Amino acid sequence: MNRKNVDMITLQVIMNALYSITDEMNLALIRTAYSTNIKDRRDCSCAIYTKNLEVISQTELGCPIHLGIMPSALDYVFQQMSLDDLDEGDHIIFNVPYPVGPGHLNDILLLTPVFVNGTIEFIAANMAHHSDLGGYAPGSMASGLREIYQEGLQIPPLKIVKKGIVDEELLSFIVQNVRTSTEVRGELHAQMACNNVGAKRLKEMCGQYGVASLQNYIEAQFDYSEKRMREGLKALPHGIYTYEDYIEGTERTPPLVKIKVKTIIDNNGILFDFEGTDPQVDDSFNSNIACTRSACYYVVKVLVDPGLPPNIGTYRPITVKAPYGSVINCKAPAAIANSTIITAPKVVDVLMGALYKAAPERSAAASNGVTSLFNIGGTDSRGNLYNYIETYAGGQGAMKTLDGMDAVQTHMTNTRNAPAEVIEMTYPLMVRSNSLEPDTDGAGRFRGGLGMRRCIQVLSTKTTLTLSTDRMAKHPWGVYGGMGGGTSHCILQTPDKVVRELAYSKMTLPVDTDTIVTIITPGAGGWGDPFTRDPQKVLKDVREELISIERARDCYGVVIRKKDRHYSIDEALTDKIRAEHVYEKES
């Protein structure tokens, strides 16, 4: 079949069928997983590829950070082994970040060749974040480490299943090197089952359409996506857009680590050049180039054409350059565990900062700018090792016509919050409080979303805590006169009631039984002059206890009176304050 004569209705049917396969794979993985991190929080992603390793479809239920990394990781795997060496029923496991593997060791990639009539026609793949991969601290994402060898078990591309038979020796070796062996063993079996679902559905599609016809429509899908992306880029003002932002350092690094980008939009597509970004650091928030590319792919898609099918055609007009040895394209064996939660979100902020003037109607102020990590592990009352890991939500940046959402996962992750009941049933922890954090909005005509507060009491012994966040000192920025969002805080209350705030936003430290750990995540930036916000929206936020009466007056110029639990706007005083504000701006 000539691709020029592709039937567009059939193309749409096949495209959606392929995306439904990856969604079904992801649901199979979630439903058969063991850990809270996957079965409740859904920290996993699935995709399918051609035999030429071109991404066909990716689930929208997955994490953007995984989906952008997987193509590069897949290419590297098959530089190390040949497709000719694979048999039906084989599964390949891999987690090494260098040179272009997963973003950190916890993200294990599992690949499965799909045979049709004795020939490999497709690759089914998934990536899942495991609760522990060994290393210095529970959760394998400690701060303060110099090299990847301290972070956990590295697994090069290996067959973990051979002709349908699990290699129990390899599986035993892996689980021997992790703290949560039951969870990791179960998770790996869930990943195998997930890919088997994908392989079954792809074979069914080949039976329905024929291999040659299906592959022809897949190629047409690539061309369709590339054409839409190029047309979308043409609609943006061509030019050069620059921005820089900073990751907050630790006691082992500079106080601020710069990420800088020059973005060029022209007839050839879009180029991101990160020349001027700071060198890699002596801590665990370095990033490999695959992780950086993932952030770039994400930003272009959401700004140019959010509904565009994410396949190889979508990414063809995008070029990424980053200095080798920089914090976003580091050299082995630099520590890398926090790349996906610290560095990739900051790359997104930098790109958004560069492009909001090119596409203001589609862009946003800075979101919370970090995937805040709360990771704690120790020994429970029965003497078993456990590890609780969760990334906490924060504010979403305001947009041209919309407020940002409160306490939501943004940009490179869309994982869910673990329910308090699940945490307390599964781990020796007590959730003392879980709430929005008032007054962390970035004030604006449209306000940024609020961060959240969670307090957890530790009930275990021999416990190690890792907290990794950002925006403790530098506020998420607002645009067009919008204010910055609230900052993060990490607070410990010892068993003898001594309260202290951690000096750094990224720390790994031991904690005693009955310590209460509080993490407050950042809010997000606002859009537009706060004094132009609809006063009724300000009143509503006060009534819902999202902002205080003082903040309504000082940041929005809205004076609110409270009488017997009833709130009302003092319109005369509000008009006076806002008129003075306009006069001061014009002067």
Side-chain angles (χ1 to χ4, degrees), residues 21 26 78 168 171 178 207 229 288 357 376 433 512 556 559:
I21 290 174
N26 221 68
F78 290 107
E168 293 293 344
L171 184 57
V178 304
M229 175 59 81
N288 67 7
K357 291 183 178 179
I376 197 163
S433 67
D512 296 328
Y556 294 96
V559 179

Side-chain angles (χ1 to χ4, degrees), residues 31-80:
R31 290 170 179 167
T32 53
Y34 273 54
S35 72
T36 299
N37 194 51
I38 296 179
K39 69 183 180 183
D40 293 297
R41 299 193 59 250
R42 304 189 173 190
D43 197 349
C44 56
S45 305
C46 300
I48 51 180
Y49 297 80
T50 69
K51 61 185 175 183
N52 297 321
L53 312 183
E54 299 167 312
V55 59
I56 299 171
S57 64
Q58 302 172 323
T59 178
E60 292 190 352
L61 302 174
C63 296
I65 188 68
H66 290 164
L67 298 172
I69 287 172
M70 287 167 70
S72 298
L74 205 75
D75 286 341
Y76 177 74
V77 167
F78 290 107
Q79 291 172 19
Q80 308 305 307

